[in-house]
Amino acid sequence: MSGPPAPGQQPTPQQMAAMQQQIAMEAQKRGMTPQQFQQWQRQQIEAEAKKNGMSFDQYVNKIKQQAYENHQRQQQMAQQQKAAQESGQPQAQGQAGQQVPINPGAPDPKAIAVAKWLRGQDLKLRTCLLNGQRKDMFR
């Protein structure tokens, strides 16, 4: 299935069918009819628009523009990853695209305090290997 239509374009019949199916599934999850779900969604959007000091149409257009920009960014990143794979370059990791090396030395007291607090919480521990040693990680 292709991505969202660009601003000003109409969705294809396949996109419309997928959206209607998604609406029906979400409505069913909430014990509503699709019409009730759409009305509820509209009320939520109107409340958000009012909270942001915008009209309903202004807010919807802003959200559409953000979705379009996010889609464009994702496509651009996918193209860059594909080009990097084809040229044999290693892929960048994370938001900044850079891995931060772990420098050995005195541990940060703040990090120790956070680790102690986390150990006191009811979290799942995962044991992993780091530099040939077993380390407990939080999940």
Side-chain angles (χ1 to χ4, degrees):
M1 181 169 77
S2 63
Q9 288 183 340
Q10 293 296 317
T12 65
Q14 294 86 359
Q15 289 170 327
M16 285 294 293
M19 287 187 278
Q20 288 171 345
Q21 184 179 13
Q22 185 69 33
I23 289 170
M25 288 181 353
E26 289 295 325
Q28 187 178 14
K29 282 183 194 175
R30 290 173 171 80
M32 302 176 179
T33 66
Q35 293 78 16
Q36 289 171 327
F37 177 72
Q38 286 177 320
Q39 183 63 33
W40 174 80
Q41 246 185 346
R42 184 176 181 89
Q43 290 170 351
Q44 297 294 315
I45 293 168
E46 286 172 347
E48 280 293 314
K50 187 176 181 182
K51 191 166 74 173
N52 287 302
M54 301 174 151
S55 72
F56 177 80
D57 291 335
Q58 288 173 325
Y59 187 73
V60 168
N61 287 334
K62 176 185 166 197
I63 297 299
K64 283 182 183 179
Q65 184 64 33
Q66 287 175 346
Y68 178 70
E69 289 169 2
N70 286 340
H71 178 70
Q72 291 295 97
R73 210 172 302 120
Q74 287 173 347
Q75 281 186 325
Q76 187 178 19
M77 287 176 63
Q79 288 173 348
Q80 289 172 349
Q81 286 177 348
K82 185 177 179 182
Q85 286 174 348
E86 289 173 356
S87 66
Q89 296 175 353
Q91 288 187 8
Q93 300 288 324
Q95 283 284 61
Q98 302 255 337
Q99 289 184 351
V100 179
I102 299 173
N103 296 326
D108 184 3
K110 292 177 189 173
I112 292 173
V114 169
K116 284 181 181 177
W117 179 81
L118 284 170
R119 283 194 178 99
Q121 303 301 306
D122 187 24
L123 300 173
K124 277 189 169 180
L125 283 179
R126 294 284 187 253
T127 304
C128 68
L129 293 176
L130 180 64
N131 296 333
Q133 296 178 337
R134 291 179 186 261
K135 298 285 181 181
D136 286 334
M137 301 285 179
F138 303 107
R139 178 172 174 144

